[in-house]
Amino acid sequence: MPTDRGQAAGRPTISEVAAEAGVGRATAARTLGNYGHVSPELRKRVLAAADKLGYRANALARSMSTGVSHTIGVIVADIGNPFFAGVVRGICDASRAGGFDTIVLSTYEDLDEEIAATNVLIDKRVDGMIIASAAVGGRDVGHIKEALNRGVPVVLVDRAVPSLDLDAVVIDNRDAAREAVERLIAAGHRRIGFVWGPPMDRPPATRRELLEAASRNLWTDGERLRGYLDALDDARIPFDPDLVMVGRKLEERVTEEVARMVALPDRITALFCTETDAVTGALRALRAAGLAYPRDVALIGFDDSAWAAVMDPPLTMIEQPVHDLGAKAAQVLLDGIRGGEPVRETHTLRSRLVERASVAPPPSPPA
Amino acid sequence: MPTDRGQAAGRPTISEVAAEAGVGRATAARTLGNYGHVSPELRKRVLAAADKLGYRANALARSMSTGVSHTIGVIVADIGNPFFAGVVRGICDASRAGGFDTIVLSTYEDLDEEIAATNVLIDKRVDGMIIASAAVGGRDVGHIKEALNRGVPVVLVDRAVPSLDLDAVVIDNRDAAREAVERLIAAGHRRIGFVWGPPMDRPPATRRELLEAASRNLWTDGERLRGYLDALDDARIPFDPDLVMVGRKLEERVTEEVARMVALPDRITALFCTETDAVTGALRALRAAGLAYPRDVALIGFDDSAWAAVMDPPLTMIEQPVHDLGAKAAQVLLDGIRGGEPVRETHTLRSRLVERASVAPPPSPPA
DNA sequence: CTGTTAGCGCGTTCAA
DNA sequence: TTGAACGCGCTAACAG
């Protein structure tokens, strides 16, 4: 008596279809798998039998013998974050169009979680993976290299890892940030707050210290900080550590920090926010301080949304090609899986500064 | 000479580990699979060998023989939508905590896509699925029944399907909507716009016609409409078809429709929006018409967010327990998979009306 | 406690 | 063109 191990109820196998149709397994397999040659006559009988039994191929078994799962894995920090949700949607769309399914894993910005996630994907024998990695280089890219060693193509999305020679689909964060801050400077601002910077135990004493912390943290954040500094340098505006928020990235902390910057003797007159949560946090602080934008404080932030457009006044924001970021990453990955030449280049998509009405000259123009 | 079929480079199998350790396959399998009894001595040798070879279990092969994939499938309308992104995050969190991975598929509200998605999941032999279904009952639930027939547990999330006796995790949309509209009525409003209603070719002539269209469409939307009508009925306010938007659910269309309602001889003084896009669309229309909220038009909408709280004035919104919706659904599903009694009940989570400042009495109080 | 053996369902040679 | 037989990597009986 055969056990039922591995065979749930109501799941006919190809053998059963073959029996029903009165043909050999192989013939059934050929018709159902759409390969080889089968006489129209038998073909019809097999199809009829399959239909009658409600046959559905077991993708697992198929993957076992072909070694291909038609599945790609995606690792992002937080699937609940609208930015990543948009990217993932782009990935799903493009991969589905290419006949692939998607497994999504969230890491919450934790490298150990990220490593565990790559292992899960390796175990599940995905054909490739797309990672928005929290790794910054050095020794924390071991898991990515391992995937590569095991023959699993990897493409990076949103976050590049400079030390890794890999396909990556990103925007030019540094340039986008610089453009935004330049816009602020052009309006006459010189005291420009930066929210948020890298996690640090204590405020940086020097610019060098800040940059070092940044280089040990998220690639995107570091780039955006550099863009901010670039713009300051170009305008010969001295860097003031008091004007950057460091530490844990929480909306409430933004509110506190902006309140601090706004209470400074030589207070900020403009604010550059590197993320949506930073924008909302900043807005809270401004209101609490009885300050209005753009009259008292000008504001530009990352990640445009429908909300930013309906604020009153509407917000000037940086728009990222969220969907395209994901779609492009999936396309590059699929090309790689299909054996295209592994070019290993960085694909830089264009972001856009959407100018609306949150930027105005500072209250009292500097002397 | 064995072919390399199905065996990519650098992927040692359990047999190789066994050979390396000088033990039988089964012993290696037992240690690596953490089952049965193995002497500490051999165990150590196996582990060492596995580590040396960089062994990683092939989850596919394991699933084949156990019939369990430790993977659940999720089908939602749009993973890029912040609401669903939050739900999916809840699902991922809870299922990961239970040792399961997640495959996510988007359907874009298309029933055929949804059917295709269930087939993909069946083929991949997921252990269960969570669906936010566009099905409303009748004949379009065939795919769900089929999954059930094949022994795949299904739990519904966000959207119940009344005709189906299934576990479902939802909020009480009808009650939430009624509460919101009652709040508007309590403030003195009688001309309350409803955005958005069901897709219809032309505006409904009667209330009956509208309800019929609603019952042929998304469950959540229908419930929210009923809640709106409930509140109107309780207050003996006559239903006016001119005050509901029907047709395609696009942000731009909301803007047009709200503009229309606001230009009516007996114009609306309040607005109830069933979705975030409806809120932003409405806000656009109000601004274009030179109307301010809550002074000229009061406003309540579904799906609270950080943005709604920082608007000026801040918006009164209905908050859904997004993450919990997903987490609970995953828990119920996992219980089912683990063979808990299939209770098949509807789990109703609590939503909350977050009162802020977008509701005020109508401009000129009704006589 | 250990090793041998038989499947899981499918793709794929190879002989007929 | 067709069907029998083998292998993918693993788990689980069974025998020792």
Side-chain angles (χ1 to χ4, degrees), chain A residues 150-215:
Chain A
R150 291 188 138 89
V152 184
V154 175
V155 357
L156 267 18
V157 71
D158 179 46
R159 281 114 92 133
V161 178
S163 72
L164 238 38
D165 182 29
L166 265 186
D167 273 308
V169 179
V170 299
I171 65 157
D172 190 335
N173 287 280
R174 182 170 185 164
D175 195 59
R178 172 176 25 206
E179 184 187 357
V181 178
E182 274 172 355
R183 181 71 195 75
L184 259 12
I185 293 172
H189 296 276
R190 298 181 63 83
R191 301 289 290 168
I192 304 173
F194 180 84
V195 180
W196 43 54
M200 297 181 75
D201 295 337
R202 51 185 177 73
T206 66
R207 170 191 179 125
R208 177 189 195 79
E209 207 180 307
L210 177 65
L211 274 169
E212 249 163 33
S215 68

Side-chain angles (χ1 to χ4, degrees), chain A residues 198-204 209 213 216-217 246-248 253:
Chain A
M200 297 181 75
D201 295 337
R202 51 185 177 73
E209 207 180 307
R216 285 192 307 273
N217 281 287
V246 296
R248 294 195 59 202
R253 287 211 57 249

Side-chain angles (χ1 to χ4, degrees), chain A residues 54 78 93 108 150 287 310, chain B residues 54 89 93 108 150 287 310:
Chain A
D78 178 9
D93 286 358
Y108 307 119
R150 291 188 138 89
R287 173 155 343 143
V310 297
Chain B
R89 172 165 167 177
D93 286 359
Y108 307 119
R150 291 189 137 90
R287 174 154 344 143
V310 297

Side-chain angles (χ1 to χ4, degrees), chain A:
Chain A
M1 186 195 79
T3 56
D4 260 5
R5 187 158 55 88
Q7 170 66 319
R11 292 191 183 170
T13 73
I14 218 165
S15 313
E16 297 176 44
V17 174
E20 172 78 25
V23 303
R25 300 182 232 286
T27 307
R30 276 189 273 259
T31 41
L32 265 13
N34 267 320
Y35 60 93
H37 292 276
V38 180
S39 68
E41 164 59 17
L42 290 192
R43 181 180 180 73
K44 241 176 75 178
R45 266 162 52 195
V46 170
L47 256 22
D51 197 57
K52 179 180 170 193
L53 266 43
Y55 172 79
R56 296 243 95 224
N58 183 332
L60 260 38
R62 180 170 288 167
S63 297
M64 284 249 11
S65 46
T66 59
V68 181
S69 64
H70 280 281
T71 304
I72 65 173
V74 177
I75 303 178
V76 294
D78 178 9
I79 179 62
N81 176 319
F83 171 78
F84 286 119
V87 172
V88 168
R89 170 164 169 179
I91 293 174
C92 289
D93 286 358
S95 68
R96 232 184 77 70
F100 282 70
D101 306 306
T102 313
I103 297 183
V104 183
L105 267 16
S106 275
T107 64
Y108 307 119
E109 239 44 292
D110 181 303
L111 198 57
D112 289 330
E113 292 270 2
E114 185 175 317
I115 294 170
T118 60
N119 283 335
V120 166
L121 295 179
I122 288 173
D123 293 356
K124 285 227 195 301
R125 297 299 188 265
V126 295
D127 296 332
M129 35 191 170
I130 298 178
I131 312 183
S133 181
V136 291
R139 242 143 263 88
D140 39 334
V141 297
H143 59 297
I144 299 183
K145 285 191 176 155
E146 194 175 316
L148 260 15
N149 283 341
R150 291 188 138 89
V152 184
V154 175
V155 357
L156 267 18
V157 71
D158 179 46
R159 281 114 92 133
V161 178
S163 72
L164 238 38
D165 182 29
L166 265 186
D167 273 308
V169 179
V170 299
I171 65 157
D172 190 335
N173 287 280
R174 182 170 185 164
D175 195 59
R178 172 176 25 206
E179 184 187 357
V181 178
E182 274 172 355
R183 181 71 195 75
L184 259 12
I185 293 172
H189 296 276
R190 298 181 63 83
R191 301 289 290 168
I192 304 173
F194 180 84
V195 180
W196 43 54
M200 297 181 75
D201 295 337
R202 51 185 177 73
T206 66
R207 170 191 179 125
R208 177 189 195 79
E209 207 180 307
L210 177 65
L211 274 169
E212 249 163 33
S215 68
R216 285 192 307 273
N217 281 287
L218 244 36
W219 179 77
T220 39
D221 288 1
E223 288 291 292
R224 291 171 193 185
L225 173 61
R226 285 187 193 86
Y228 165 77
L229 295 174
D230 287 346
L232 254 39
D233 290 349
D234 285 351
R236 307 197 189 289
I237 298 174
F239 165 73
D240 182 348
D242 272 349
L243 304 196
V244 340
M245 161 185 165
V246 296
R248 294 195 59 202
K249 307 201 283 188
L250 255 42
E251 201 196 22
E252 304 92 76
R253 287 211 57 249
V254 174
T255 305
E256 295 167 17
E257 287 286 289
V258 170
R260 179 183 60 73
M261 295 182 198
V262 125
L264 249 27
D266 190 7
R267 77 163 176 88
I268 57 168
T269 63
L271 212 38
F272 176 57
C273 300
T274 60
E275 218 154 294
T276 262
D277 291 354
V279 175
T280 52
L283 254 14
R284 285 199 151 91
L286 293 188
R287 173 155 343 143
L291 263 24
Y293 71 89
R295 198 195 58 200
D296 305 311
V297 176
L299 190 68
I300 298 185
F302 249 92
D303 291 348
D304 194 25
S305 68
W307 285 106
V310 297
M311 293 287 296
D312 186 21
L315 266 24
T316 294
M317 301 282 279
I318 296 168
E319 179 193 68
Q320 294 201 58
V322 192
H323 188 276
D324 285 356
L325 235 23
K328 179 74 180 177
Q331 282 155 12
V332 171
L333 181 62
L334 262 45
D335 284 351
I337 291 172
R338 296 193 181 111
E341 299 306 302
V343 195
R344 311 235 153 146
E345 54 183 325
T346 297
H347 308 261
T348 305
L349 267 38
R350 291 185 57 83
S351 63
R352 193 166 65 94
L353 181 65
V354 183
E355 305 218 26
R356 286 194 277 251
S358 59
V359 178
S364 46

